[in-house]
Amino acid sequence: MTSPRPAPVPVPRDALPAAVLWDMDGTLVDTEPYWIAAEHELVDAHGGTWTHEDAMSLVGNPLLTSAQILRERGGVDLPVEEIVQFLIGRVIDQVRVKVPWQPGARELLASLREAGVPCALVTMSYRELAEPVAALAPADAFQVLVCGDEVERGKPDPEPYLLAAERLGVDVTRCVAIEDSPAGIASALASGAATLGVEAVVPVRPAPGLSRTPSLEHVDLGLLARLVADEVVDLMPVSL
């Protein structure tokens, strides 16, 4: 019989981040398979070829960037705006059936809400997709949404994370950003936020100042306090 998990040690509010800034696709919810299926459907309909490597190269990109790649590499003969709307529509259809929360995501959101730590959703998905996902999170989990159709420069530019901190009225360097993709991690690090990379669809490579975890199930308030105190934590298993 396994012993019960010890109760978490209370963390003083002033030791916690001023806010937690969450990426959505891949980090909070496992929607990347939905995007990839939509890409394959669209490319197939236009007689093109789309590989697993092609799909992986789009993870975390602004949607207009991904749409241009689908035109050039996948042979999709549509305006980029139409490609984006097709992809979003397909993913929204799937989200209405099921929101695939990443393990530990809802529990961490609830802990942050109970501790009084505000959260922002910082995503390159458009608001029409982000709002339904945020609405199904624990009540009052997100105070701010920053979406891909609301920024001039998407990830890997730091603008989305800087805007989220501005809207929350907090210092971005007192925030923790949680990300899964290379573009998102680059955006978060460039903003000055303490950055935690969660390995989901693509590998999270080591980088200066980047903390890493294989799952949100390993993340609690104590770990977030360590990150905002400038500690770099690597929970990835060591390869033999």
Side-chain angles (χ1 to χ4, degrees):
M1 184 173 66
T2 58
S3 58
R5 293 179 63 182
V9 177
V11 181
R13 178 62 185 91
D14 60 3
L16 290 170
V20 175
L21 315 176
W22 291 79
D23 174 54
M24 187 175 78
D25 296 293
T27 301
L28 185 68
V29 289
D30 187 19
T31 47
E32 294 297 355
Y34 295 169
W35 291 104
I36 292 169
E39 293 160 16
H40 278 285
E41 180 184 351
L42 187 58
V43 171
D44 289 349
H46 286 260
T49 301
W50 196 244
T51 67
H52 176 73
E53 289 72 24
D54 290 328
M56 292 298 99
S57 74
L58 302 193
V59 173
N61 281 348
L63 284 173
L64 290 174
T65 301
S66 294
Q68 187 60 41
I69 294 171
L70 282 160
R71 277 180 54 86
E72 296 170 356
R73 195 184 303 167
V76 178
D77 188 19
L78 291 173
V80 291
E81 293 81 4
E82 289 187 26
I83 294 173
V84 168
Q85 287 307 312
F86 175 88
L87 297 175
I88 290 174
R90 284 291 189 266
V91 175
I92 287 174
D93 288 344
Q94 293 298 312
V95 166
R96 285 174 177 157
V97 175
K98 180 182 180 183
V99 177
W101 297 97
Q102 292 286 24
R106 291 179 61 86
E107 292 82 1
L108 184 55
L109 282 170
S111 294
L112 289 164
R113 180 193 60 198
E114 292 166 8
V117 178
C119 290
L121 194 61
V122 185
T123 176
M124 290 298 90
S125 289
Y126 286 8
R127 183 166 285 267
E128 62 188 290
L129 173 57
E131 284 186 339
V133 172
L136 293 169
D140 302 318
F142 293 104
Q143 285 67 55
V144 162
L145 272 64
V146 173
C147 305
D149 50 342
E150 300 172 348
V151 295
E152 293 184 9
R153 298 174 301 279
K155 302 172 185 178
D157 192 273
E159 180 186 343
Y161 281 103
L162 294 173
L163 181 58
E166 179 184 330
R167 288 182 176 176
L168 286 169
V170 297
D171 179 353
V172 72
T173 65
R174 289 290 305 159
C175 297
V176 173
I178 305 179
E179 270 284 357
D180 75 303
S181 70
I185 288 168
S187 172
L189 287 171
S191 77
T195 304
L196 176 63
V198 185
E199 191 155 292
V201 175
V202 294
V204 174
R205 307 295 186 192
L210 176 66
S211 296
R212 302 190 301 162
T213 180
S215 170
L216 290 171
E217 292 178 295
H218 302 297
V219 182
D220 58 13
L221 298 183
L223 177 63
L224 297 178
R226 292 166 64 190
L227 301 186
V228 83
D230 294 329
E231 185 175 348
V232 175
V233 178
D234 197 333
L235 302 179
M236 299 298 293
V238 178
S239 299
L240 298 179

